[in-house]
RNA sequence: GUCCCCUUCGUCUAGAGGCCUAGGACACCGGGUUUUCAUCCCGGCAACGGGGGUUCGAAACCCCCAGGGGACGCCA
């Protein structure tokens, strides 16, 4: 039997997401249970959004959770490189095969034409997709355009009729009509492959035997299968996992939930508790045990026993589990060590000391002054926001705008946070000291504390976001209607600011 | 809108046609232990989306409907 190899293929375009960890966990368990290998590949074909920092953060986060891999960009391996941006030569040589066999074609359509086409299809209520315009080009026309250096992409051909039938490990037979499938772009005009192309080429060359991924990919599986067929390669076995959900059942998102693994680390969760919790999303130990390690999970794992209803990520249950781990698995000594390592991270403490030193007369002043750096959500209520100039509604608006603005920052540091607050205060025509008041309350729990801008940069975006959101909720939250108006306001402002 | 996937307590889930009067856990409520609180222990509340079949028998199999979710990018 072929060796089992699975992979996690994150895209370094944002914070390390718990959904990534969830899929990584199941891939790793499946591979290891069968004596196979679990590898990590970075899918950074989006030049605009991919960042080195994000890649670093994702690797760190997965390592923190103990979800290690045997091959990857950091550890190498026989299929190196493991970063798609370093595999361009391979994609270039592979795409030529499809071009030569006629399974792929060059498309010179402009973004404008495509947009117009999409709009028309929407209006006519037919399914949207590429109309095959460039398929009619003669060889001479194509040669001419290439000669003229016209920007273009490469698309794949799709059968006109019939069904694509494939088997999903969990869901059985899935049948999708080819007419539903668009002539997917394989190579973008920047010369880099799209996910669909790079993914298939790499999975083949990296000998991936089982593709375990989120169910959001079901509809594009026909394209992937077709590529395997065009190349004459044997496709992997597919397994589409259910998606983690918000409380309202929508796909887990940072707008509604803390989704960053960094948040759980900074809030003082134990990595083994977080992984354990992810392991009980869609899966249970055969004996019903709820507390188990990854090693125990691997011993008893059965991928086909995954249940398909999208599990709601319930922080309350995670809290219970984490408490259980702290109480039942840590000795007093281990508790001390873990707590100290968490609370006194040198980088963090080094930044905090200068903020409090001038304000301290005795060491006993430190906790009242800096305790909020180590706390979760501050204990605040509506009255905490009483202010002679800033109303509760003003506070909500300031908090929400700040949150949106901070989330759009490429870099979350002192300087950019300060600049953001200044810009927003000016725009809202509020004095900066008044503007910062609700932020002081949201972040430190009090109207007076160490510099709130420094505090936010030390706490990091994950915790800052959670506290600001908590403050908005304490103030009664924002109704859908109000949110719409605020969003419009903010968009107008953001345009001016740019 | 089109297509695809899904559907057991509020939430995570057990359930492979008779062991189901549907089990466990979180949350919630009540009680006990504890100088308080928490922990811990005991108890309670609470679900098979609806309708048709198949079968001696359906939570489980089939069909229809409804609801939820996802996809429809030169994002992944």
């Amino acid at each position: 039997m072929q060796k089992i190899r699975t992979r996690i293929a994150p895209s370094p375009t944002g914070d390390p997401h718990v959904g990534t960890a969830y899929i990584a966990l199941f891939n790793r368990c499946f591979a290891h249970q069968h004596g196979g290998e679990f590898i990590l590949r970075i899918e950074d074909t989006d030049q605009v959004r991919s960042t080195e920092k994000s890649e670093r953060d994702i690797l760190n986060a997965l390592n923190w959770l103990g979800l290690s891999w045997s091959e990857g960009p950091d550890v190498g391996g026989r299929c190196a490189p493991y970063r798609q941006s370093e595999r361009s030569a391979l994609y270039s040589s592979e795409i030529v095969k499809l071009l030569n066999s006629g399974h792929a074609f060059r498309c010179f359509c402009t973004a404008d034409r495509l947009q117009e086409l999409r709009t028309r299809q929407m209006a006519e209520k037919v399914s949207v997709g590429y109309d095959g315009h460039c398929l009619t080009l003669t060889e001479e026309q194509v040669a001419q355009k290439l000669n003229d250096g016209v920007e273009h992409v490469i698309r794949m051909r799709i059968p006109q009729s019939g069904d694509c039938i494939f088997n999903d490990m969990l869901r059985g037979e899935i049948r999708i009509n080819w007419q539903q499938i668009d002539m997917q772009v394989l190579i973008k005009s920047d010369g880099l492959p799209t996910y669909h192309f790079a993914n298939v080429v790499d999975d083949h060359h990296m000998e991936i035997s089982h593709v375990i991924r989120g169910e959001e990919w079901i509809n594009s599986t026909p394209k992937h299968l077709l590529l395997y067929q065009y190349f004459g390669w044997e496709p992997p076995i597919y397994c589409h996992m259910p998606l983690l959900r918000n409380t309202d059942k929508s796909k887990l998102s940072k707008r509604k939930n803390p989704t960053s693994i960094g948040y759980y680390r900074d809030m003082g969760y134990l990595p083994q508790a977080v992984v354990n919790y992810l392991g009980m999303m869609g899966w249970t130990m055969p004996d019903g045990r709820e507390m188990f390690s990854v090693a125990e999970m691997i011993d008893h794992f059965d991928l086909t026993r995954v249940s398909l209803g999208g599990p709601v990520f319930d922080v309350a249950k995670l809290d219970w589990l984490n408490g259980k781990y702290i109480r039942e698995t840590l000795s007093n000594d281990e508790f001390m060590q873990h707590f100290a390592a968490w609370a006194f991270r040198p980088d963090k403490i080094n930044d905090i000391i200068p903020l409090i030193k001038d304000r301290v007369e005795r060491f006993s002043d430190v906790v009242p002054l800096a305790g909020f750096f180590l706390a979760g959500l501050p204990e605040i209520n509506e009255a905490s926001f009483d202010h002679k100039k800033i109303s509760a509604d003003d506070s909500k608006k300031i908090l929400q705008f700040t949150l949106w603005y901070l989330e759009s920052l490429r870099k979350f540091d002192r300087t950019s946070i300060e600049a953001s607050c200044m810009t927003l205060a000016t725009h809202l025509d509020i004095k900066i000291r008044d503007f910062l008041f609700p932020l002081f309350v949201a972040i430190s729990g009090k109207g007076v504390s160490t510099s709130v801008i420094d505090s936010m940069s030390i706490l990091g975006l994950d915790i800052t976001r959670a506290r600001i959101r908590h403050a908005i909720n304490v103030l009664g939250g924002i109704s859908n209607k109000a949110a719409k108006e605020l969003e419009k306001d903010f968009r107008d402002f953001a345009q001016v600011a740019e």
Side-chain angles (χ1 to χ4, degrees), chain A residues 84-323:
Chain A
Q84 292 186 326
S85 57
E86 295 166 11
R87 299 170 66 82
S88 297
L90 176 63
Y91 310 127
S92 305
S93 66
E94 295 294 7
I95 195 65
V96 171
K97 294 183 190 167
L98 298 188
L99 244 16
N100 288 344
S101 62
H103 292 311
F105 63 97
R106 297 180 198 272
C107 166
F108 300 87
C109 293
T110 61
D112 281 351
R113 194 187 95 79
L114 261 19
Q115 185 52 51
E116 196 183 303
L117 175 69
R118 208 167 293 141
T119 314
R120 197 171 63 232
Q121 287 168 331
M122 296 277 227
E124 289 168 11
K125 293 189 173 172
V126 294
S127 56
V128 296
Y130 186 62
D131 59 358
H133 179 79
C134 289
L135 227 30
T136 62
L137 261 31
T138 64
E139 267 181 56
E140 292 73 35
Q141 287 171 309
V142 171
Q144 183 61 48
K145 282 179 189 286
L146 282 177
N147 215 308
D148 295 345
V150 181
E151 215 177 54
H152 70 283
V153 301
I154 299 175
R155 293 178 183 272
M156 69 186 290
R157 266 185 203 265
I158 301 291
Q160 307 270 318
S161 59
D163 289 337
C164 173
I165 302 167
F166 65 97
N167 220 69
D168 181 281
M169 239 178 130
L170 289 171
R171 298 156 203 264
E173 187 179 292
I174 295 175
R175 179 184 298 256
I176 296 173
N177 194 289
W178 285 115
Q179 290 181 353
Q180 294 299 320
I181 312 296
D182 199 8
M183 294 179 223
Q184 181 63 47
V185 171
L186 300 178
I187 302 288
K188 300 180 271 190
S189 56
D190 64 5
L192 291 182
T194 56
Y195 164 84
H196 303 281
F197 188 66
N199 185 264
V200 164
V201 168
D202 284 342
D203 280 346
H204 169 73
H205 287 282
M206 294 183 179
E207 296 163 32
I208 299 304
S209 63
H210 296 254
V211 169
I212 303 165
R213 59 182 6 169
E215 68 177 315
E216 52 196 331
W217 296 107
I218 291 178
N219 287 288
S220 35
T221 303
K223 294 174 201 169
H224 303 161
L225 250 5
L226 190 59
L227 284 173
Y228 280 98
Q229 192 189 315
Y230 285 166
F231 278 119
W233 296 336
E234 190 182 336
I237 292 168
Y238 287 99
C239 174
H240 291 96
M241 297 283 297
L243 258 22
L244 260 26
R245 311 293 185 96
N246 297 313
T247 320
D248 64 3
K249 296 275 189 186
S250 59
K251 176 168 146 179
L252 194 67
S253 64
K254 69 175 172 196
R255 271 274 168 116
K256 297 174 181 169
N257 246 305
T259 57
S260 166
I261 298 168
Y263 170 83
Y264 295 94
R265 188 196 51 220
D266 293 348
M267 281 293 278
Y269 289 86
L270 258 18
Q272 53 274 41
V274 175
V275 180
N276 186 163
Y277 181 67
L278 290 174
M280 50 203 261
M281 301 272 84
W283 192 77
T284 40
M285 273 289 198
D287 64 2
R289 200 170 2 144
E290 293 202 290
M291 202 170 169
F292 51 84
S293 65
V294 176
E296 289 168 323
M297 184 168 170
I298 290 168
D299 283 343
H300 299 275
F301 194 61
D302 180 358
L303 187 53
T304 62
R305 278 188 62 250
V306 167
S307 61
L308 294 173
V312 172
F313 193 91
D314 180 13
V315 180
K317 186 149 183 176
L318 171 59
D319 287 346
W320 162 79
L321 226 209
N322 197 61

Side-chain angles (χ1 to χ4, degrees), chain A residues 232-444:
Chain A
W233 296 336
E234 190 182 336
I237 292 168
Y238 287 99
C239 174
H240 291 96
M241 297 283 297
L243 258 22
L244 260 26
R245 311 293 185 96
N246 297 313
T247 320
D248 64 3
K249 296 275 189 186
S250 59
K251 176 168 146 179
L252 194 67
S253 64
K254 69 175 172 196
R255 271 274 168 116
K256 297 174 181 169
N257 246 305
T259 57
S260 166
I261 298 168
Y263 170 83
Y264 295 94
R265 188 196 51 220
D266 293 348
M267 281 293 278
Y269 289 86
L270 258 18
Q272 53 274 41
V274 175
V275 180
N276 186 163
Y277 181 67
L278 290 174
M280 50 203 261
M281 301 272 84
W283 192 77
T284 40
M285 273 289 198
D287 64 2
R289 200 170 2 144
E290 293 202 290
M291 202 170 169
F292 51 84
S293 65
V294 176
E296 289 168 323
M297 184 168 170
I298 290 168
D299 283 343
H300 299 275
F301 194 61
D302 180 358
L303 187 53
T304 62
R305 278 188 62 250
V306 167
S307 61
L308 294 173
V312 172
F313 193 91
D314 180 13
V315 180
K317 186 149 183 176
L318 171 59
D319 287 346
W320 162 79
L321 226 209
N322 197 61
K324 209 167 149 65
Y325 267 87
I326 287 177
R327 289 189 300 273
E328 297 177 12
T329 72
L330 297 184
S331 66
N332 290 351
D333 195 48
E334 286 168 328
F335 182 100
M336 187 267 287
Q337 285 170 19
H338 278 84
F339 171 72
W342 174 81
F344 304 119
R345 282 168 37 198
D347 54 328
K348 215 171 147 176
I349 286 294
N350 284 342
D351 288 342
I352 295 174
I353 301 300
L355 291 183
I356 58 168
K357 209 169 126 195
D358 289 343
R359 300 166 182 252
V360 165
E361 292 173 330
R362 296 155 300 220
F363 287 137
S364 53
D365 295 329
V366 170
V367 165
L369 211 53
F372 73 92
F373 282 111
L374 302 183
L377 301 176
E379 279 180 40
I380 47 176
N381 54 45
E382 267 182 275
S384 313
F385 291 89
D386 284 346
H387 187 273
K388 54 184 187 296
K389 289 187 190 151
I390 304 292
S391 71
D393 278 346
D394 291 338
S395 283
K396 275 197 267 189
K397 187 168 182 176
I398 290 168
L399 291 166
Q400 183 61 71
F401 272 34
T402 305
L403 181 55
W404 281 335
Y405 205 98
L406 293 180
E407 281 184 328
S408 73
L409 293 178
R410 330 93 309 219
K411 222 179 156 200
F412 192 76
D413 61 12
R414 215 215 99 91
T415 317
S416 44
I417 297 169
E418 183 179 27
S420 311
C421 291
M422 291 301 205
T423 310
L424 280 167
T426 308
H427 167 72
L428 294 173
D429 198 23
I430 301 174
K431 272 210 220 142
I432 187 70
R433 61 182 296 151
D434 295 331
F435 175 90
L436 291 177
F437 169 75
L439 286 165
F440 269 100
V441 178
I443 300 300
S444 73

